[in-house]
Amino acid sequence: ETGVTQTPRHLVMGMTNKKSLKCEQHLGHNAMYWYKQSAKKPLELMFVYSLEERVENNSVPSRFSPECPNSSHLFLHLHTLQPEDSALYLCASSQEGYGGADQPQHFGDGTRLSIL
Amino acid sequence: KNQVEQSPQSLIILEGKNCTLQCNYTVSPFSNLRWYKQDTGRGPVSLTIMTFSENTKSNGRYTATLDADTKQSSLHITASQLSDSASYICVVSARLSGGYNKLIFGAGTRLAVHP
């Protein structure tokens, strides 16, 4: 148990569907992250939220829309995705800022997304 | 350009044998280096963290080394077990202003331990 829970674990959707991925952390951390993991490629950072404000958006297409209503919850809203968006989407949390710079990111087990 | 390269891409060993995974990086300013283990179907879990002044650190059968001069790290697994089958990801942290870290991920080494 990592303290970071992602739902659903698996999701199959058509290109015209709208769905959302959910992440919840029980660690009291102040930063949360969305990553995309494709086969044989490094994890790609998508979004960073620190103290519920988005601090980084790595040129992610607008068909991915994040939402962070509070420090414990993070959503990734999906609409009109493409087949190349099929991947494992990982959520992570950490304690950032002075005194927390050497703290690890704690990852959830991911949502395996398949676009038909 | 900040980059982390891992080798080999994949590795098969027999149970009980030792192995060493490599990580080369070009990251500045360097903050720390972590090795993560990612089991199939799970998220990555931190194994070790090494800062600039540390040369070696152990976590059970896992021993990580760091050469900050050559910007290389290795992860040595002793007396491998079937449960060591996983992907091992090298992650280097660059220290940004405000105390925040930017993580640069390697593509990982996929290790398979066979009986």
Side-chain angles (χ1 to χ4, degrees):
Chain A
E1 182 59 52
T2 66
V4 180
T5 303
Q6 289 188 245
T7 55
R9 291 296 312 277
H10 303 273
L11 179 62
V12 179
M13 57 187 285
M15 289 190 284
T16 58
N17 293 156
K18 289 185 179 181
K19 296 285 185 183
S20 296
L21 310 184
K22 179 183 176 182
C23 176
E24 183 175 359
Q25 59 100 356
H26 310 276
L27 301 169
H29 290 160
N30 61 6
M32 297 186 75
Y33 312 78
W34 279 117
Y35 288 91
K36 177 183 180 182
Q37 187 175 35
S38 304
K40 299 183 180 180
K41 293 175 64 177
L43 268 70
E44 301 172 48
L45 179 65
M46 301 175 71
F47 301 103
V48 180
Y49 276 83
S50 178
L51 300 174
E52 301 158 40
E53 289 189 15
R54 190 191 308 179
V55 298
E56 189 164 345
N57 173 355
N58 276 356
S59 303
V60 179
S62 59
R63 56 186 184 268
F64 294 92
S65 175
E67 178 189 1
C68 187
N70 55 59
S71 60
S72 299
H73 293 87
L74 186 65
F75 295 90
L76 188 63
H77 303 299
L78 316 171
H79 64 96
T80 59
L81 295 192
Q82 304 298 310
E84 62 265 28
D85 296 323
S86 297
L88 181 68
Y89 288 85
L90 290 165
C91 172
S93 72
S94 69
Q95 189 63 25
E96 289 295 325
Y98 287 111
D102 292 335
Q103 299 304 309
Q105 290 189 9
H106 293 253
F107 287 84
D109 288 333
T111 294
R112 173 68 62 185
L113 178 65
S114 299
I115 307 300
L116 301 179
Chain B
K1 179 183 177 182
N2 287 331
Q3 209 163 358
V4 175
E5 301 281 348
Q6 290 188 244
S7 62
Q9 187 176 67
S10 61
L11 182 63
I12 300 173
I13 62 173
L14 294 177
E15 187 178 12
K17 298 297 185 182
N18 304 335
C19 68
T20 300
L21 315 180
Q22 300 290 343
C23 173
N24 296 338
Y25 62 91
T26 54
V27 174
S28 181
F30 178 87
S31 176
N32 59 61
L33 183 148
R34 286 186 186 277
W35 284 92
Y36 279 85
K37 178 186 180 188
Q38 185 174 19
D39 292 314
T40 301
R42 306 297 299 275
V45 175
S46 179
L47 288 175
T48 65
I49 177 176
M50 303 187 72
T51 57
F52 187 86
S53 59
E54 296 176 299
N55 300 116
T56 184
K57 183 168 284 189
S58 293
N59 177 2
R61 295 179 295 102
Y62 300 102
T63 299
T65 65
L66 176 64
D67 186 333
D69 292 329
T70 61
K71 299 186 177 179
Q72 295 179 323
S73 176
S74 66
L75 181 69
H76 186 74
I77 304 175
T78 304
S80 60
Q81 300 176 359
L82 298 180
S83 59
D84 293 329
S85 297
S87 287
Y88 292 84
I89 303 172
C90 177
V91 185
V92 182
S93 182
R95 182 71 62 93
L96 306 179
S97 60
Y100 292 88
N101 282 357
K102 180 179 179 67
L103 301 185
I104 297 91
F105 289 80
T109 292
R110 181 171 294 277
L111 174 66
V113 180
H114 289 184

